């Protein structure tokens, strides 16, 4: 699942150089200044789209970046993508604190100092569509180890930046969603090596549409757990109420593990439509990431959905 070729590290250097800039326009300008153009600027290590361990073809960049859920901009996927791509991330920082020994505030450059890796993951939305994305990021565990969780810390709470100037629908009086968007994981889920903080995808810095500058990626859980544009990470002792669970507790649980046998009250979760295709494929328990099963040993997955 991890690609660590020499070429990738070359691409990573470019990525880091370019990623420190606020907007895609600035990145493109810099790329052409360097004599790079379009996709040549960040070549892809994969020779064929299907050549990866997910057993499925990588989703087209255009599909993964235009068919998005980002309710702070719009409930319409294409409109949300367009608006979110104008997100200004200059001056962004992520506060990491709560029950830990070394709370810290990281700016964007600090995030890029972690050992970035490329991880190709299946991604399954609770709405029954899915995609395969080559993320660029680092294991959340690395950050948590740095801040040193206290022994009372049992959960990790994540919060999207609250700033209606930047995220216009946070202030919409028509919206039923209580903002800021909040998500959470049990500490052992957060420490699992599959759990990523992503700063890029397709060898490029994350677009606003996909949660720039930093988002969570938890590939065995429904996509709503993978919170975008994070500004706060807190270690806490109790399970945090999360956005979708608060809105519709019968439909969206805290765990949200991908499970073909536990239907959403309004639709089956047995199959999924892969973006870019009309055919439906079988949904896999834990989205196929069987290595996480021990995290839930002895738990009734119907009760803890
Ligand atoms: N994070 C925030 N802050 N706001 C959102 O609306 N949508 C979630 C999740 N993270 C969402 C969010 C949902 S429902 C999904 S399926 C994924 O983001 C979608 O990620 P993508 O748009 O990059 O595919």
């Amino acid at each position: 699942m991890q690609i660590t070729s020499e070429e990738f590290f070359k691409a990573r250097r470019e990525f880091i150089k370019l990623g420190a800039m606020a907007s895609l326009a600035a990145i493109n300008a810099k790329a052409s200044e360097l004599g790079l153009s379009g996709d040549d600027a960040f070549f892809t290590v994969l020779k064929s789209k299907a050549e990866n361990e997910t057993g499925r073809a990588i989703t087209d960049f255009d599909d993964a970046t235009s068919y998005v859920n980002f309710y702070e901009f719009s409930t319409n996927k294409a409109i949300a993508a367009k608006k979110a791509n104008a997100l200004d991330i200059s001056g962004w920082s992520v506060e990491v604190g709560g029950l830990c020994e070394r709370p810290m505030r990281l700016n964007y450059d600090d995030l890029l100092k972690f050992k970035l890796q490329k991880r190709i993951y299946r991604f399954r939305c609770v709405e029954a569509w899915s995609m395969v994305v080559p993320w660029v990021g680092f294991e959340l565990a690395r950050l948590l180890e740095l801040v040193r969780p206290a022994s009372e810390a049992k959960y990790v709470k994540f919060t999207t930046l609250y700033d209606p100037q930047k995220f216009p629908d946070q202030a919409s009086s028509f919206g039923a969603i209580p903002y800021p968007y909040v998500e959470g994981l049990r500490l052992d889920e957060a420490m699992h090596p599959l759990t990523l903080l992503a700063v890029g995808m397709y060898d490029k810095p994350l677009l606003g549409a996909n949660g720039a500058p930093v988002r969570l990626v938890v590939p065995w859980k429904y996509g709503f757990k993978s919170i975008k544009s994070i500004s706060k990470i807190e270690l806490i002792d109790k399970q945090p109420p999360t956005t979708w669970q608060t809105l519709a507790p019968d439909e969206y649980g805290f765990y949200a593990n991908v499970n073909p046998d536990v239907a959403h009250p309004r639709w089956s979760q047995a199959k999924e439509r892969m973006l870019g295709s009309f055919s439906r494929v079988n949904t896999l328990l834990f989205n196929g990431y069987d290595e996480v099963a021990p995290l839930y040993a002895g738990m009734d997955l119907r009760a803890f959905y």
Side-chain angles (χ1 to χ4, degrees), residues 64 67-72 123 125 129 131 135 160 181 209-210 215 223-224 226-228 244:
Y67 191 86
V68 309
N69 279 331
F70 208 159
Y71 279 31
E72 286 91 332
F123 185 98
C125 177
W129 54 266
M131 56 185 180
W135 301 103
T160 294
Y181 195 101
N210 300 99
R215 60 118 26 110
F224 67 85
S226 293
I227 180 173
K228 297 176 169 184
W244 285 103

Side-chain angles (χ1 to χ4, degrees), residues 21-34:
M21 276 160 281
S23 69
L24 188 65
I27 290 164
N28 285 335
K30 185 70 185 174
S32 57
E33 193 184 308
L34 291 168

Side-chain angles (χ1 to χ4, degrees), residues 271-291:
K271 287 186 181 287
E272 62 202 59
R273 181 181 69 86
M274 289 175 63
L275 293 192
S277 125
F278 292 108
S279 60
R280 280 151 46 93
V281 297
N282 288 335
T283 288
L284 306 169
L285 179 61
F286 302 125
N287 207 16
Y289 296 99
D290 298 335
E291 59 264 55

Side-chain angles (χ1 to χ4, degrees), residues 63-74 77 123-127 129 131 133 135 159-161 167 170 177 179-183 201 206-211 215-216 222-230 243-244 275:
D63 286 331
T65 55
S66 62
Y67 191 86
V68 309
N69 279 331
F70 208 159
Y71 279 31
E72 286 91 332
F73 291 95
S74 172
K77 291 180 165 59
F123 185 98
R124 168 64 156 81
C125 177
V126 74
E127 297 164 341
W129 54 266
M131 56 185 180
V133 175
W135 301 103
T159 309
T160 294
L161 181 67
F167 301 91
Q170 285 179 334
I177 301 176
Y179 287 114
Y181 195 101
V182 168
E183 258 308 335
M201 55 197 262
L206 276 187
L207 291 173
N210 300 99
R215 60 118 26 110
L216 187 66
Y222 291 120
F224 67 85
K225 298 294 291 182
S226 293
I227 180 173
K228 297 176 169 184
S229 304
I230 297 169
T243 297
W244 285 103
L275 293 192

